[in-house]
Amino acid sequence: MYDKLKLLYPRMRGTPDISGYLDKAKEQTDLKTGEVCIFGSLDGLKVSIYTGGYSIIGSLAKYLYPSNVYPLDRHSTIQAIEKLSDALHIDMREAKVTGLEFGTQFVMRKPVDEYLKKLGDMPKLARYHFDVGTLYYKHKGKQQPKVFCFYDKRADADAKGLIMPDGFAGTNLLKYEMRLNGRLPQQIGVPEVQASTLSESEFYRLLVRKWQKHYFSISKLNQLKTKVMSEIKTVSDAFDVLVARLISQSDQSQITAFLEELKDAKVFNDRKCYTRLKKKIIEVANKAGVSISDEDIRELDDEIKNVGAYV
């Protein structure tokens, strides 16, 4: 389930020069420090040679296969690292992993955006729905140690001119991805993360659990019961049904935008009021007796759960 990786191989005395193995290598000199750096590529991977080490960034899935529609599992990760080691004539298993993308895609019954609009907020991260078929959960600042992304993988592949494997033509391909950048040992809870670590079974299972845990932390919209009128006994019940109906018909981005608008206008003196309002909206939308679990969300839930069964 690995795709893009950021690898750093420390440059020490005796480390071989890899510049001759790169495509379109160019030398660049820092006029202030005099440091000479070399930038090139290797079958689509971006390779940079600095005084302190070698940086390799790119999709190892695309490096090993024609495209990255299929992410790497533990075994194919070993193959990709071995191929990279042979190409650069250094043991890339010892490289430090400074960033990784972990996730996979699912063939869904409906268009991807039908699922994304039913995904609400994730704790401690902001929700961003910039374009149809793309949803991000990330921090508001410039630093992005972790980002969770849902997107239309087939549309992404078409836009990039990637080769689609047989059987994927015309499918609704939803990808869910966890992107971790910097301080990976602290983020994941392990002593170190080297390229060799990626294929270790316990580390791989740890990432799967982390990937699943964050998905299930997202609030999700339920759907109204088809015979909800029989549940209405009071004026308050009728009000809740109406509000729940309006929420279920809305994109989650509208709710997030409204809350942000309230914050910008400084409507409440106590910031806890915004949290209480969000909680109230979720409670009404998912009120027992009015709503049931949404079938689209159940479909996506099952896909996420089933990944753990094959690890």
Side-chain angles (χ1 to χ4, degrees):
M1 288 172 46
Y2 298 109
D3 188 7
K4 183 178 178 180
L5 294 176
K6 295 180 180 179
L7 304 173
L8 181 62
Y9 188 93
R11 195 174 185 182
M12 299 173 288
R13 181 175 297 179
T15 301
D17 180 13
I18 65 171
S19 59
Y21 308 124
L22 306 183
D23 303 319
K24 301 178 181 178
K26 295 182 179 180
E27 190 175 279
Q28 182 175 310
T29 303
D30 188 314
L31 297 179
K32 290 185 178 180
T33 65
E35 181 182 9
V36 177
C37 302
I38 297 175
F39 303 97
S41 61
L42 178 66
D43 293 340
L45 298 177
K46 180 181 177 182
V47 182
S48 304
I49 302 176
Y50 302 101
T51 302
Y54 304 144
S55 168
I56 298 95
I57 301 175
S59 169
L60 278 195
K62 197 185 300 182
Y63 177 68
L64 187 63
Y65 302 125
S67 76
N68 66 343
V69 174
Y70 284 122
L72 301 180
D73 60 15
R74 292 197 303 114
H75 306 291
S76 52
T77 298
I78 295 175
Q79 297 175 33
I81 295 299
E82 287 179 346
K83 179 182 176 181
L84 185 58
S85 297
D86 291 341
L88 295 178
H89 295 78
I90 52 178
D91 188 357
M92 287 302 299
R93 293 176 302 174
E94 300 174 359
K96 179 181 178 182
V97 183
T98 61
L100 62 83
E101 293 181 355
F102 187 85
T104 190
Q105 63 279 321
F106 311 102
V107 177
M108 310 300 289
R109 293 183 299 107
K110 296 181 180 179
V112 170
D113 204 54
E114 289 298 311
Y115 302 88
L116 303 192
K117 68 183 182 182
K118 295 176 182 178
L119 298 177
D121 293 324
M122 181 184 288
K124 300 181 181 180
L125 297 178
R127 183 183 189 277
Y128 295 91
H129 194 182
F130 298 117
D131 303 304
V132 174
T134 305
L135 175 63
Y136 292 95
Y137 293 93
K138 57 184 182 177
H139 293 283
K140 291 185 177 181
K142 292 183 179 180
Q143 297 296 323
Q144 298 295 333
K146 57 178 176 247
V147 176
F148 297 88
C149 183
F150 297 81
Y151 62 98
D152 188 329
K153 183 58 185 178
R154 189 165 63 85
D156 176 71
D158 290 344
K160 295 177 180 177
L162 300 179
I163 300 173
M164 292 295 293
D166 293 339
F168 283 102
T171 58
N172 300 307
L173 208 56
L174 188 160
K175 184 162 189 179
Y176 165 45
E177 199 167 66
M178 174 174 68
R179 302 173 180 176
L180 304 179
N181 293 288
R183 297 171 59 84
L184 295 193
Q186 290 83 355
Q187 288 206 63
I188 301 172
V190 294
E192 64 177 358
V193 183
Q194 293 183 313
S196 60
T197 311
L198 301 176
S199 59
E200 294 176 0
S201 58
E202 184 53 40
F203 180 80
Y204 194 82
R205 285 195 292 267
L206 181 61
L207 286 181
V208 169
R209 291 195 296 268
K210 187 178 185 70
W211 176 80
Q212 290 174 324
K213 179 182 177 181
H214 279 87
Y215 167 78
F216 286 107
S217 74
I218 299 171
S219 63
K220 302 171 181 72
L221 280 185
N222 288 341
Q223 65 185 64
L224 292 181
K225 289 183 177 179
T226 54
K227 297 181 180 179
V228 69
M229 290 301 170
S230 63
E231 305 290 341
I232 298 176
K233 306 299 181 185
T234 66
V235 171
S236 181
D237 289 341
F239 177 80
D240 287 345
V241 168
L242 173 61
V243 174
R245 177 181 293 175
L246 294 174
I247 292 174
S248 68
Q249 295 172 349
S250 302
D251 189 310
Q252 285 286 287
S253 299
Q254 296 179 10
I255 298 173
T256 302
F258 176 65
L259 291 169
E260 290 300 320
E261 188 177 350
L262 291 175
K263 292 178 183 178
D264 291 341
K266 299 180 180 179
V267 172
F268 302 122
N269 293 325
D270 186 352
R271 293 190 64 83
K272 294 180 181 178
C273 290
Y274 303 108
T275 303
R276 290 198 290 267
L277 175 58
K278 182 189 296 185
K279 184 178 179 181
K280 179 65 175 178
I281 293 172
I282 294 173
E283 286 176 352
V284 173
N286 300 322
K287 187 174 181 180
V290 174
S291 62
I292 58 175
S293 178
D294 185 88
E295 62 178 311
D296 297 336
I297 291 299
R298 287 200 302 271
E299 179 190 3
L300 185 53
D301 284 354
D302 289 341
E303 294 287 358
I304 299 292
K305 289 176 184 176
N306 289 338
V307 169
Y310 301 105
V311 176

